[in-house]
Amino acid sequence: MIDVHAGSGRFDKYFLMDENDVVQYAKEKLNFFEDTTNLECKEIGDGNLNYVFRIVDKNSNKSLILKHSSEDTRAKSGRKLNIDRNVVECKILQLQNKYCPGFVPEIYMLDEVMNCYAMEDLSNYTIMRTALLKNKTYSHFADNITTFMVDTLLPTTDIALNHKEKKRLVKEYINTDLCEISEQLVFTEPFGNFDKENIVLHSMEDFVQQNIYNDNSLRVECAKLKFNFMNNAQALLHGDLHTGSIFINEDKIKVFDPEFAFYGPIGYDVGNIIANLFLAWAHGYATIENENEKANYLLNIEKCVVDIVRMFKSKFMKKFSEEVTDLMAKSDGFDSWYLKSVLEDTSGTVGLEMIRRIVGIAPVADITSIEDEEKRANIEKILIFSGKEFILNRSQYTTGEQFVETLKNAAQRFS
Ligand code: SR1
Ligand code: MG
């Protein structure tokens, strides 16, 4: 970690910085650039909440990323969020790096006054969603993401941690504002449109009304999943583990953006990964014209999901036996019962995440970039239909093959 220089006063009290301020900040506060005569700064954030600055020394090409938060979201939603969320995020990244070294960006500096932190510039990586949208897949992804999930999640549970220390962490990372966003956007609005803000394709309105808003049995199961999300303080989650929160290259991944982190059900992270791979599958299904290319891409995604569930289960069981300290959790058979409940939460989350990216206010490019409206509506029906199945029958999903089969059956039904 580099030092934050004791300041001249300008950065001793929080204010929202712009590009010019950030250049000044780098000169005065960051002990990172040897030469500060030719620094260039660009705001490159494309998320809804924060500001992300890339600072480059044009003389040496040395660079870093500075992430900074304001009380207002940049999406001008009117929503106010805790301003220290980047401080929390930075601490989570440091913790994740302790449990799973090298799988998150390197942190250079944290400034708890200015609510910003500096980290490694990963411009030589690609955001995984962007890569998938270009029909690019990575054979190392299943292995890397399952290592990241098992190694960062299990050690933070009551299985492994001293229970008082675990409760201290639950309190420290309570994250009420960001959890409220997920409670509304993932678990509530898609199933009732209570705020009347859901964005739905015009040609899908009747389908959504009939198959989602009018389905009380679906609403009951989503309510159960919501209360599990709010009350099952199982592990310190990433909390928003979709393909836009992962940088990837030919050998590695770097997971970032854990600002939604809190103590919740492990299956929430695992389910988000699988759901977002299925959203990428959906994009390929609707847009790739060459039949061979399409079959190949879909198969790669399907294989990835199968590998993720298989590797997650075996790494989870191994890590459990290595990490378990609780005397009762050591009982024969408890480990498989625990894993089974994680898989049930995983399946529920796969359904929730797929549906909320179609019916809600936070859609993803995998769906919105499908230009042919008929094809888009068709794939939305496939995802909603299979998503409901993953929610309603979540206790039955224990293998990746089952997840893939349900998705493909839904595709057959609407072909
Ligand atoms: C208001 S934030 C909308 C969504 O973006 C984040 O990445 C989370 O997924 C959130 O639900
Ligand atoms: Mg994000």
Side-chain angles (χ1 to χ4, degrees):
M1 289 266 279
I2 56 179
D3 294 335
V4 184
H5 288 159
S8 57
R10 186 158 176 232
F11 300 104
D12 289 351
K13 190 165 179 288
Y14 172 83
F15 68 96
L16 182 61
M17 295 187 281
D18 63 17
E19 290 171 349
N20 293 330
D21 300 319
V22 169
V23 168
Q24 214 45 46
Y25 183 88
K27 288 182 179 176
E28 287 182 31
K29 302 281 278 184
L30 296 181
N31 191 10
F32 180 77
F33 297 105
E34 289 84 33
D35 177 0
T36 58
T37 53
N38 201 4
L39 295 185
E40 192 180 89
C41 175
K42 244 192 165 34
E43 206 286 309
I44 56 166
D46 61 357
N48 297 312
L49 305 179
N50 299 298
Y51 296 85
V52 181
F53 298 95
R54 180 163 187 262
I55 314 161
V56 191
D57 168 12
K58 297 298 280 177
N59 295 340
S60 67
N61 266 336
K62 201 174 170 189
S63 59
L64 62 66
I65 299 292
L66 191 94
K67 194 163 173 187
H68 184 42
S69 42
S70 65
E71 196 184 21
D72 294 309
T73 66
R74 58 184 301 167
K76 307 273 175 283
S77 61
R79 194 189 284 275
K80 300 271 183 210
L81 295 176
N82 55 311
I83 203 164
D84 66 347
R85 60 189 183 277
N86 279 325
V87 174
V88 176
E89 172 169 316
C90 182
K91 289 182 179 169
I92 300 278
L93 287 170
Q94 288 168 326
L95 206 62
Q96 289 171 334
N97 193 54
K98 180 182 113 185
Y99 288 126
C100 191
F103 280 65
V104 296
E106 187 184 341
I107 304 296
Y108 297 145
M109 175 283 302
L110 169 64
D111 183 337
E112 300 197 24
V113 173
M114 291 303 294
N115 293 302
C116 63
Y117 69 95
M119 64 183 144
E120 179 183 6
D121 180 11
L122 293 168
S123 307
N124 51 340
Y125 282 67
T126 311
I127 291 190
M128 188 166 172
R129 192 183 306 283
T130 311
L132 288 164
L133 288 177
K134 292 179 185 153
N135 310 328
K136 170 98 181 95
T137 53
Y138 298 84
S139 56
H140 67 76
F141 180 68
D143 187 27
N144 277 322
I145 196 66
T146 49
T147 295
F148 175 80
M149 290 193 291
V150 171
D151 288 2
T152 58
L153 296 171
L154 239 179
T156 66
T157 65
D158 278 302
I159 300 298
L161 273 188
N162 167 285
H163 302 327
K164 284 190 175 172
E165 170 60 6
K166 187 255 180 173
K167 287 181 178 68
R168 191 192 65 72
L169 289 170
V170 172
K171 192 171 161 191
E172 181 170 351
Y173 295 114
I174 195 76
N175 213 352
T176 51
D177 287 355
L178 281 293
C179 280
E180 186 185 47
I181 294 181
S182 303
E183 288 154 20
Q184 290 176 347
L185 270 52
V186 180
F187 292 91
T188 305
E189 287 304 321
F191 304 97
N193 198 19
F194 303 100
D195 286 345
K196 303 271 174 286
E197 283 178 353
N198 283 348
I199 305 159
V200 177
L201 213 55
H202 182 61
S203 56
M204 282 293 288
E205 280 168 0
D206 289 347
F207 186 90
V208 167
Q209 183 72 45
Q210 210 177 314
N211 290 280
I212 299 187
Y213 301 155
N214 292 352
D215 187 340
N216 190 59
S217 58
L218 177 68
R219 201 181 282 192
V220 170
E221 294 312 312
C222 293
K224 291 181 194 170
L225 287 163
K226 179 178 181 180
F227 277 71
N228 183 48
F229 178 82
M230 295 190 294
N231 294 294
N232 181 3
Q234 191 170 39
L236 185 55
L237 306 184
H238 176 283
D240 196 25
L241 196 49
H242 55 75
T243 49
S245 299
I246 300 168
F247 280 114
I248 195 157
N249 68 15
E250 290 306 326
D251 339 283
K252 286 181 77 168
I253 59 168
K254 296 270 186 185
V255 177
F256 65 107
D257 231 4
E259 66 193 323
F260 284 78
F262 81 113
Y263 259 90
I266 292 173
Y268 189 71
D269 274 358
V270 188
N272 260 291
I273 287 291
I274 297 173
N276 280 275
L277 285 168
F278 281 164
L279 289 162
W281 186 97
H283 181 264
Y285 184 88
T287 61
I288 303 176
E289 280 168 14
N290 179 290
E291 284 305 321
N292 281 339
E293 205 187 308
K294 179 169 170 171
N296 196 32
Y297 178 74
L298 300 186
L299 197 64
N300 283 344
I301 304 266
E302 291 159 19
K303 184 174 170 337
C304 189
V305 169
V306 168
D307 289 346
I308 285 174
V309 179
R310 180 175 47 76
M311 289 181 186
F312 178 80
K313 284 173 11 186
S314 73
K315 290 179 192 183
F316 189 92
M317 291 299 269
K318 182 165 181 288
K319 189 89 176 163
F320 190 108
S321 67
E322 291 162 0
E323 296 273 332
V324 63
T325 57
D326 182 276
L327 297 177
M328 292 301 284
K330 287 181 182 178
S331 313
D332 255 3
F334 180 78
D335 51 0
S336 351
W337 171 84
Y338 191 90
L339 175 60
K340 176 80 179 52
S341 78
V342 167
L343 293 173
E344 189 170 329
D345 295 341
T346 297
S347 180
T349 306
V350 176
L352 287 164
E353 173 71 3
M354 282 171 20
I355 292 175
R356 75 103 167 196
R357 296 300 190 180
I358 295 167
V359 182
I361 60 162
V364 283
D366 309 52
I367 303 302
T368 55
S369 67
I370 302 169
E371 284 170 9
D372 182 323
E373 193 173 323
E374 209 178 309
K375 286 188 175 162
R376 176 170 160 185
N378 187 57
I379 197 64
E380 290 191 357
K381 287 179 187 165
I382 294 168
L383 292 170
I384 290 173
F385 194 80
S386 51
K388 283 182 65 169
E389 163 66 20
F390 297 140
I391 293 169
L392 296 171
N393 294 313
R394 58 193 177 280
S395 64
Q396 286 166 31
Y397 286 88
T398 57
T399 69
E401 284 87 349
Q402 290 170 310
F403 282 111
V404 169
E405 194 191 346
T406 294
L407 180 70
K408 287 168 76 177
N409 284 346
Q412 280 286 326
R413 186 190 165 102
F414 291 100
S415 66

